[in-house]
Amino acid sequence: MATKHQRLLLIGLDGLGHDLAQPAIEAGLLPALGRLVASGASGGLISGVLANPAVAWTTLATGQRPDRHGVIDGMVFDPVAGELRPVDGRARRTHA
């Protein structure tokens, strides 16, 4: 049944590319992931050389380049706490 709004589930596993996942799926080592791949679509993502995961995932989630979404590293300075903290949604300047 078609719905007005289709949903998308995006599962990203940092460092686990098709070159590693596919042999493990075929060997039966990742059965749940194998079922998800078999019933949906899958593919590799292309990112820049030495891409920072926080920057890459924020770019994917927002559809904006780092100069627009504002996440340029995995850590940001929290002025209230006076220390660095991991990036989260508050660090973005655009909506996901």
Side-chain angles (χ1 to χ4, degrees), residues 20-53:
L20 295 174
Q22 196 58 41
I25 290 170
E26 291 171 3
L29 299 173
L30 300 170
L33 182 59
R35 286 190 300 275
L36 287 170
V37 169
S39 65
S42 66
L45 297 177
I46 298 172
S47 60
V49 177
L50 301 175
N52 180 304

Side-chain angles (χ1 to χ4, degrees), residues 58-83:
T58 304
T59 299
L60 180 70
T62 64
Q64 302 291 323
R65 296 177 56 88
D67 61 325
R68 297 264 319 197
H69 62 60
V71 175
I72 58 171
D73 193 10
M75 303 291 282
V76 294
F77 183 74
D78 183 341
V80 174
E83 60 189 18

